Amino acid sequence: DMFAQAHCPSSVVRARASLARPGESSRVRAASRASRASLSSSSRRARVGRANAAHEMVELASAFDAVNMDITLSGAEEALGKCAFASLALASGVFASKAIFTDDKRSGKLEQYAMYGGNAALFASLAARWVESGHFPLSNMYESLLFLAWGITTVHLVVTERDGFSKSAIPGALSAPTAALTVAAATLALPAELQRATALVPALKSNWLMMHVSVMMMSYATLLVGSLSCVSYLLVDASQDWAMAKGALEKLDGLVDKEAKEGEKTRNRPKVASDGTVTAMDDSANVDFTGGEFAMDARGGERIMTEMDNLAYRCLGAGFALLTAGLVSGAVWANEAWGSYWSWDPKETWALITWLVYATYLHSRLVANWDKKDSCAVGAAGFVVVWVCYVGINLWGVGLHSYGWFANR
């Protein structure tokens, strides 16, 4: 051994030593394998820990992004709702002032641009809600009210832009406040649980949500604008009669005052001379109720009434067609969801009543040849019927289409 250590390489010595001590070599190899396995297990645990930590960080970042996005969208919806209400309030004020205090009662660019601004703000708010909820924004009362306000402004702009900005201001004086009050009701009157974006119930997870509900809401908007045009017709007719009567009375009062001041010279009686000749009556006392300013007022009133009647007829005709399509699509959807085309649900019943009211208007207008005033009275009554069908039934808490807010308060 001493010779081997002195003259042999160290590798040979280690080999001989290993051959001389086999038990010790196996223990060394086992310890080496255990050390490598321990290191490998530790590295795997470290890698798994780092992967889990990275995954948790990604999930946390996604959650923060979702929260920030929800906060951003909620803030954007609130700001857009306020912008829409402000624009519609401005349009309402300008429309009303021109309809009341001007002679020609024509709308201008300012109020029309304000209506455009309110329409754009409502559209952007609905788009933000669509992104936030992930489905078409017609699943609750808040979303449907905003959609209805957007529909009213859209229909008003479409039907009044045919002749540029020269249309009468009277329809806008009624449509703009209606849209503004609808936005106010959605943002201020509804409770928070009806404004919150929620997941769709199973019955609403269908393509019919976009097809049926959107058609029904656009029919409501179109019918409301047409009914407001009927109200405008009745108001102009009543105001024209009042203005004619008031003008005639003022003219007569002026003549009486003039006669009292000037004495016999202007009395409306013939003059008899001493020779028996009769002088003609004073022509200044004659009042012409068929010409002059009275005739001009009558012609202006007739023009406005004709515009209102045509506008009401176009809107109610289109709205009736949309309502019919909505009822048919709703029956098909009801059969798929509930197994019956018609179940006399309160919502279905009032939708049928609404259909019958406007069918009566169109029948009286086209077939029965009613007086336009009577036909417009039927169309104006439809304004109340639509609101009962849309809001009253939905919020009262009865039937399959209800939210139950009124009944639960």
Side-chain angles (χ1 to χ4, degrees):
D1 293 338
M2 292 178 62
F3 179 79
Q5 292 177 4
H7 299 281
C8 294
S10 59
S11 60
V12 176
V13 174
R14 287 195 298 272
R16 289 180 177 178
S18 64
L19 291 173
R21 298 186 293 275
E24 182 179 354
S25 175
S26 62
R27 286 194 299 273
V28 171
R29 287 195 297 271
S32 177
R33 285 195 299 271
S35 176
R36 288 195 299 271
S38 176
L39 290 174
S40 177
S41 177
S42 298
S43 63
R44 282 198 300 270
R45 285 196 297 271
R47 288 195 298 270
V48 171
R50 288 193 295 269
N52 290 335
H55 183 68
E56 291 177 358
M57 291 296 294
V58 170
E59 290 183 347
L60 186 62
S62 300
F64 276 117
D65 291 341
V67 171
N68 290 334
M69 185 176 182
D70 290 341
I71 294 174
T72 302
L73 289 174
S74 299
E77 289 177 21
E78 183 178 358
L80 289 170
K82 292 180 179 178
C83 180
F85 179 77
S87 298
L88 294 174
L90 174 62
S92 302
V94 179
F95 273 125
S97 62
K98 289 189 175 182
I100 297 173
F101 300 110
T102 60
D103 294 332
D104 56 355
K105 304 185 185 305
R106 290 294 186 181
S107 63
K109 293 185 178 181
L110 175 60
E111 55 270 32
Q112 290 290 85
Y113 286 151
M115 288 288 283
Y116 273 117
N119 181 272
L122 289 170
F123 181 83
S125 179
L126 290 171
R129 175 55 71 97
W130 194 344
V131 174
E132 179 185 4
S133 62
H135 55 76
F136 193 68
L138 276 176
S139 61
N140 57 24
M141 180 59 70
Y142 173 79
E143 296 169 358
S144 63
L145 280 172
L146 292 183
F147 191 91
L148 179 65
W150 175 80
I152 291 174
T153 57
T154 300
V155 173
H156 171 82
L157 291 172
V158 169
V159 298
T160 59
E161 284 301 307
R162 295 184 60 183
D163 299 329
F165 296 112
S166 62
K167 299 297 291 183
S168 174
I170 297 177
L174 297 176
S175 298
T178 302
L181 291 175
T182 303
V183 174
T187 56
L188 299 177
L190 287 181
E193 59 267 20
L194 292 185
Q195 297 185 25
R196 191 177 301 114
T198 58
L200 290 175
V201 297
L204 296 180
K205 293 180 180 179
S206 171
N207 292 329
W208 288 107
L209 174 66
M210 182 181 296
M211 291 183 286
H212 166 67
V213 183
S214 62
V215 170
M216 289 298 295
M217 295 307 301
M218 285 306 299
S219 72
Y220 290 159
T222 310
L223 292 173
L224 287 175
V225 174
S227 293
L228 290 174
S229 300
C230 291
V231 174
S232 302
Y233 181 95
L234 297 175
L235 290 176
V236 173
D237 181 68
S239 64
Q240 184 182 11
D241 293 341
W242 170 252
M244 290 288 291
K246 183 180 178 182
L249 290 175
E250 290 177 351
K251 186 72 174 179
L252 292 175
D253 289 341
L255 291 175
V256 170
D257 293 339
K258 181 179 179 181
E259 183 176 326
K261 290 180 181 179
E262 297 184 3
E264 291 293 332
K265 185 179 68 173
T266 59
R267 287 187 184 274
N268 191 16
R269 63 180 61 177
K271 302 294 191 299
V272 181
S274 59
D275 58 355
T277 60
V278 180
T279 307
M281 298 170 57
D282 187 2
D283 293 337
S284 64
N286 295 331
V287 183
D288 182 12
F289 293 101
T290 62
E293 60 179 302
F294 298 105
M296 292 182 65
D297 292 340
R299 286 194 296 270
E302 288 293 334
R303 173 183 56 80
I304 296 175
M305 291 169 63
T306 301
E307 290 180 1
M308 297 303 99
D309 181 61
N310 292 334
L311 182 62
Y313 174 68
R314 291 198 300 267
C315 290
L316 294 183
F320 183 78
L322 290 173
L323 181 62
T324 303
L327 289 176
V328 173
S329 62
V332 176
W333 189 13
N335 184 59
E336 290 184 1
W338 302 320
S340 175
Y341 287 100
W342 193 270
S343 58
W344 291 105
D345 181 76
K347 183 77 169 183
E348 297 173 353
T349 304
W350 274 95
L352 178 61
I353 293 173
T354 305
W355 188 89
L356 291 174
V357 168
Y358 288 107
T360 303
Y361 166 82
L362 292 175
H363 177 78
S364 66
R365 182 74 161 68
L366 299 176
V367 179
N369 293 324
W370 287 12
D371 184 72
K372 290 183 179 180
K373 186 176 180 179
D374 297 333
S375 298
C376 286
V378 176
F383 181 83
V384 179
V385 176
V386 168
W387 280 111
V388 172
C389 176
Y390 169 55
V391 177
I393 300 300
N394 283 40
L395 294 182
W396 194 256
V398 291
L400 299 170
H401 298 79
S402 64
Y403 299 102
W405 181 46
F406 289 161
N408 295 332
R409 288 179 67 83

